[in-house]
Amino acid sequence: MQYKFCPLIVSAIMTIAGALSLNATDTKVVAPAAHQAEHSDLIAGQLNIGNQIKVEDTEAFLGNLFPEEEEPEGDIYTEGWDSDRVNCYANMTVPDRIEINVSKFHMPTAPTYVTSPYGYRRRFRRMHKGVDLKVQIGDTIYAAFDGRVRLTKFEGRRKGYGYYVVVRHTNDLETVYGHLSKFLVEPGAYVKAGDPIALGGNTGRSTGPHLHFETRYMGYAINPMAIFDFANNVTHTDTYTFTKTTYMDARDYSPGAAAYASADRSSSQKRNGGSSASYYTIRRGDTLSRIASRHGTSVRSLCRLNGLSTSSKLSIGKKIRLR
C-alpha cells in the first residue's frame, strides 16, 4: 500500500527534524544591543574607590571632630581601699628607683593612634594621667600584661571614667582602661597579656569613642609613652626604669615615638613657665592629619597657626607650629 503526503506536511516534518538534529554547541545566544550598551555604560561609570577614600582624610575628619578628649574629673587613685577605690598604697613606701620588666606585653588596642597624649591640659587646667587611643564603640580592649583584675566599676559623666577596669600585673604595674561600653571580665579574674577584658566605648566624661589608658606603679601615674611606642605598637625596651623624677617623661627611641613625645615636652614647658609655642620639623611621609593625631591637636588648628589649607603641600625639613 502506498501513502501520499501533502507537501506542506512533509516540509514541516523536515523542518522539525532539522531543528532537533542541531548540536547545542552550535547555538549562540546574542544579548540585545540595548543590554550590551547598558553594560558598557556601567563599566565606564565605575570609579577606583582607592582614589576616593584615603586614610589621611578620615584621620583629618576625626581630628576635627574630636580635637581634644575630655578628662575624667577625679583621680581614681586618690582614695583608699576602704572607699572601694583602687589605691592601696597610701601608707606604703615607694622606692625611688626600680627596674620593671615589660617584655611580655600586648598593646591594649588593635593598631590605632593617639588622640590626646599624657600631660597637662590647658583646657581643663589639670594633668591628663594617661593617653587617649582612638577606638570605636565595641572594639576589643586587651590586657597589657599578665595579671589579675582588681576592679570593674562605673563612674558617670559628671566626674568619671565611665565603665573602667583596673588590672594589677605580675610586673608590679597596674593599668587602667576607661570609657568602656562593656566588661568581659570580673574582679579577681586572672588574665594573660592579650586577653580581651572589655569593649571600647564612650561612657563617662567623654566627647567621643576612645580608650583612656593609664600605666601606674604604686599609685604613680607613669607616662604610658615611657613604656609603649604607640606609633610602632611595641615597647621601647624590655625593661622600664621607674624613678620619681622621670616617670612623667616620654621616651623617644623611634621617630614615631618622638613625634608623640614632643607634645609632652611642650606640656612640660608650660608647667615650668616656658614658651607656650611648640614646633615640629616635617619628615618624609608626614601629612597634616598624621602630625595632628600624634601631637594631640587638630588639622584645623595646624592650618590656622601656619596659614595652610587642608590641601597644602608639606615641605620636608620645614618647621610647622603645633601650638
Side-chain angles (χ1 to χ4, degrees):
M1 179 181 292
Q2 294 182 346
Y3 295 95
K4 295 182 179 181
F5 296 96
C6 174
L8 291 175
I9 295 176
V10 173
S11 176
I13 292 174
M14 294 297 292
T15 300
I16 293 172
L20 292 175
S21 67
L22 287 175
N23 191 294
T25 58
D26 296 330
T27 304
K28 295 183 179 179
V29 178
V30 179
H35 288 188
Q36 291 179 333
E38 184 177 0
H39 182 65
S40 298
D41 290 342
L42 287 173
I43 293 176
Q46 290 180 350
L47 300 175
N48 184 348
I49 195 67
N51 293 332
Q52 306 301 313
I53 301 177
K54 298 181 180 180
V55 173
E56 52 266 30
D57 292 337
T58 302
E59 290 185 351
F61 170 76
L62 293 174
N64 287 326
L65 191 58
F66 306 119
E68 185 174 29
E69 303 292 357
E70 290 203 37
E71 164 70 353
E73 186 70 32
D75 182 347
I76 61 176
Y77 280 78
T78 56
E79 298 183 40
W81 180 256
D82 293 338
S83 66
D84 195 26
R85 299 289 179 161
V86 297
N87 184 14
C88 58
Y89 304 107
N91 298 316
M92 296 182 66
T93 301
V94 180
D96 291 330
R97 179 186 178 93
I98 188 170
E99 299 287 329
I100 300 174
N101 188 327
V102 294
S103 60
K104 297 180 180 180
F105 76 98
H106 192 284
M107 300 302 288
T109 68
T112 184
Y113 60 94
V114 174
T115 61
S116 187
Y118 175 101
Y120 181 75
R121 283 181 165 181
R122 181 173 52 185
R123 175 183 173 187
F124 303 110
R125 297 183 180 179
R126 60 178 175 271
M127 281 291 294
H128 183 223
K129 297 181 179 179
V131 297
D132 292 340
L133 302 172
K134 185 60 185 176
V135 297
Q136 299 298 331
I137 295 174
D139 284 355
T140 304
I141 307 302
Y142 305 95
F145 304 100
D146 295 354
R148 193 173 299 279
V149 179
R150 293 198 58 211
L151 190 64
T152 60
K153 196 175 178 182
F154 174 78
E155 288 186 348
R157 175 162 180 79
R158 185 180 66 82
K159 58 174 290 186
Y161 291 69
Y163 290 101
Y164 67 93
V165 174
V166 179
V167 183
R168 166 73 66 83
H169 300 291
T170 54
N171 58 6
D172 295 325
L173 287 177
E174 289 193 336
T175 49
V176 182
Y177 311 77
H179 305 310
L180 309 170
S181 62
K182 183 179 180 180
F183 301 134
L184 300 180
V185 292
E186 296 180 351
Y190 185 80
V191 295
K192 302 289 288 183
D195 282 351
I197 59 173
L199 300 181
N202 184 31
T203 58
R205 192 178 176 88
S206 170
T207 58
H210 70 282
L211 172 69
H212 175 81
F213 177 64
E214 297 182 10
T215 47
R216 299 264 186 164
Y217 175 70
M218 298 189 75
Y220 280 74
I222 298 168
N223 187 339
M225 287 182 275
I227 299 174
F228 293 95
D229 174 357
F230 292 101
N232 298 299
N233 295 290
V234 296
T235 54
H236 293 292
T237 53
D238 286 343
T239 59
Y240 166 70
T241 303
F242 168 84
T243 73
K244 291 181 179 179
T245 57
T246 63
Y247 72 93
M248 297 175 68
D249 297 334
R251 290 197 284 183
D252 55 359
Y253 293 156
S254 73
Y260 290 132
S262 64
D264 296 309
R265 287 193 290 269
S266 174
S267 297
S268 178
Q269 289 176 348
K270 293 176 184 178
R271 293 194 302 271
N272 296 324
S275 172
S276 60
S278 178
Y279 294 86
Y280 169 76
T281 303
I282 297 170
R283 299 192 300 268
R284 185 181 301 278
D286 278 336
T287 62
L288 285 173
S289 59
R290 186 172 299 173
I291 295 171
S293 65
R294 289 180 174 177
H295 291 80
T297 185
S298 66
V299 172
R300 183 188 306 167
S301 178
L302 292 178
C303 290
R304 177 177 55 81
L305 290 173
N306 298 276
L308 301 173
S309 69
T310 55
S311 60
S312 294
K313 184 177 180 180
L314 301 182
S315 300
I316 298 173
K318 183 177 180 180
K319 289 186 180 295
I320 186 172
R321 183 172 177 176
L322 301 175
R323 289 172 179 80

